[in-house]
Amino acid sequence: MNNGHGGDEIELSHGDLSVRVSRRGAAVTAATFRGKPFLLPTGGPGGIFANFPMVPFSNRVEGNAMSFGGRDYVFQRNCHDPLYLHGDGWISLWQLEESSPEHVQLSFSRDADGISPYAYLARQEIRLAGNRLALALSVENRGEAALPFGLGQHPFFVRTPETRLTIAADRFWNERHDHLPGEPGPVPDDFDFMSGKPLPRLWMNNAFEGWDGRAAIAWPELSIQAALEADAALGRFMLYMRTDRTDFFCLEPMSHLPNGHHLPELGGLMPLARGEVLSGKVTIELSALPVQPEGR
């Protein structure tokens, strides 16, 4: 294990995969396959995270308030955004529980406070096996009252001009003010990647439902591809693409919709009583991209 940056970073490697993990946010700060980056460190505090876990839920809470179990709860902003965003794990220092050259397990616990009413213990395990990067996240409610919990991963994938995405969904949510989901409907053509196509030059910050947990990304210029798989607990995803930055895009597997606290059936958020656990796993498998014959 090679620790750098004051002991906060851990180097993992297996075969053609190399990954650097930070105790800050339990984040991946670099990820390469055969020496080529497939995740880009551009998110999180200081813009140095290439992936971070979202816990005890993902995305935003409208009005920084929610009601559950007959009680009202409030949040405070936790970053640059006016709304409490992506939970606490990504902006906190995690404890190192286990490490080897091929895996690391980190934990983070917090008590309820003025920023958030959630008290919990979270664990993130990052493991390399074969040509796969596996991200396993769990959260246990440590509070006295039941509350709705969720999970997600927030990878920042490298984007090249010819990057192609293949992913299928049944339902699309448009975006309204404060980057919150608006109304659900069928997937518009520009946002439909069921058959695989290059990424459009459009602003996208949208949630999708009815996902089988599979996606494929191809980078022709890098001659590599990735197969992403999320387990059944992570049945939604977000797509985030900016028009002022064309070097990355985000495909975020999530257990629930953004702002689920204000949606029917909690948008997929899972009420957990004290001691109950929610977990979800994402794997990203890298491989060489088959060479296309000339003239295609």
Side-chain angles (χ1 to χ4, degrees):
M1 184 177 74
N2 177 20
N3 283 347
H5 300 269
D8 284 348
E9 296 219 334
I10 300 138
E11 303 278 351
L12 306 179
S13 65
H14 179 85
D16 291 326
L17 270 181
S18 294
V19 171
R20 192 164 66 235
V21 178
S22 175
R23 286 179 56 209
R24 300 274 167 193
V28 172
T29 57
T32 62
F33 176 67
R34 298 183 177 172
K36 297 172 182 175
F38 60 93
L39 298 178
L40 187 71
T42 193
I48 60 168
F49 291 173
N51 179 80
F52 59 80
M54 298 181 285
V55 63
F57 54 84
S58 310
N59 217 271
R60 294 168 176 82
V61 185
E62 186 169 8
N64 280 337
M66 69 168 187
S67 299
F68 185 77
R71 292 179 60 185
D72 295 330
Y73 298 92
V74 296
F75 299 84
Q76 298 292 332
R77 63 188 296 174
N78 60 350
C79 65
H80 62 278
D81 200 277
L83 297 180
Y84 173 87
L85 179 64
H86 293 329
D88 320 285
W90 68 296
I91 50 174
S92 302
L93 184 65
W94 293 52
Q95 299 301 310
L96 179 62
E97 290 192 331
E98 296 176 12
S99 69
S100 74
E102 297 171 359
H103 95 290
V104 61
Q105 182 172 293
L106 301 149
S107 66
F108 167 69
S109 62
R110 81 181 302 278
D111 299 322
D113 60 17
I115 304 292
S116 164
Y118 282 76
Y120 59 88
L121 170 67
R123 282 196 171 89
Q124 167 101 314
E125 186 193 37
I126 299 169
R127 182 178 291 275
L128 307 182
N131 288 327
R132 287 191 311 280
L133 165 62
L135 306 159
L137 180 62
S138 69
V139 63
E140 175 190 339
N141 184 2
R142 291 281 181 93
E144 295 302 324
L147 285 176
F149 281 77
L151 296 172
Q153 298 286 350
H154 199 310
F156 295 79
F157 287 102
V158 165
R159 179 174 178 176
T160 60
E162 295 182 37
T163 298
R164 294 178 66 86
L165 173 65
T166 307
I167 193 167
D170 292 341
R171 216 155 63 138
F172 164 90
W173 288 74
N174 65 17
E175 184 186 23
R176 58 185 172 92
H177 66 85
D178 290 338
H179 301 304
L180 294 166
E183 299 294 328
V187 180
D189 288 347
D190 281 342
F191 299 77
D192 184 356
F193 300 93
M194 182 180 296
S195 302
K197 68 180 183 186
L199 302 176
R201 292 293 181 94
L202 295 171
W203 168 269
M204 288 184 66
N205 186 33
N206 300 90
F208 295 77
E209 293 184 277
W211 179 40
D212 65 1
R214 295 173 183 270
I217 305 162
W219 295 277
E221 298 98 326
L222 304 179
S223 302
I224 62 174
Q225 60 186 349
L228 182 146
E229 191 165 341
D231 63 25
L234 302 170
R236 285 101 174 159
F237 65 90
M238 290 283 294
L239 279 179
Y240 175 55
M241 302 178 203
R242 289 161 55 160
T243 51
D244 62 331
R245 289 283 303 268
T246 56
D247 56 343
F248 79 90
F249 74 100
C250 297
L251 166 55
E252 308 161 41
M254 293 170 30
S255 66
H256 62 97
L257 293 168
N259 198 35
H261 300 84
H262 295 276
L263 294 176
E265 299 174 337
L266 294 169
L269 288 164
M270 183 72 66
L272 297 182
R274 181 178 175 88
E276 291 186 325
V277 176
L278 174 66
S279 60
K281 183 177 180 181
V282 175
T283 61
I284 304 169
E285 183 163 11
L286 284 301
S287 60
L289 188 64
V291 177
Q292 294 289 343
E294 290 295 327
R296 285 189 59 182

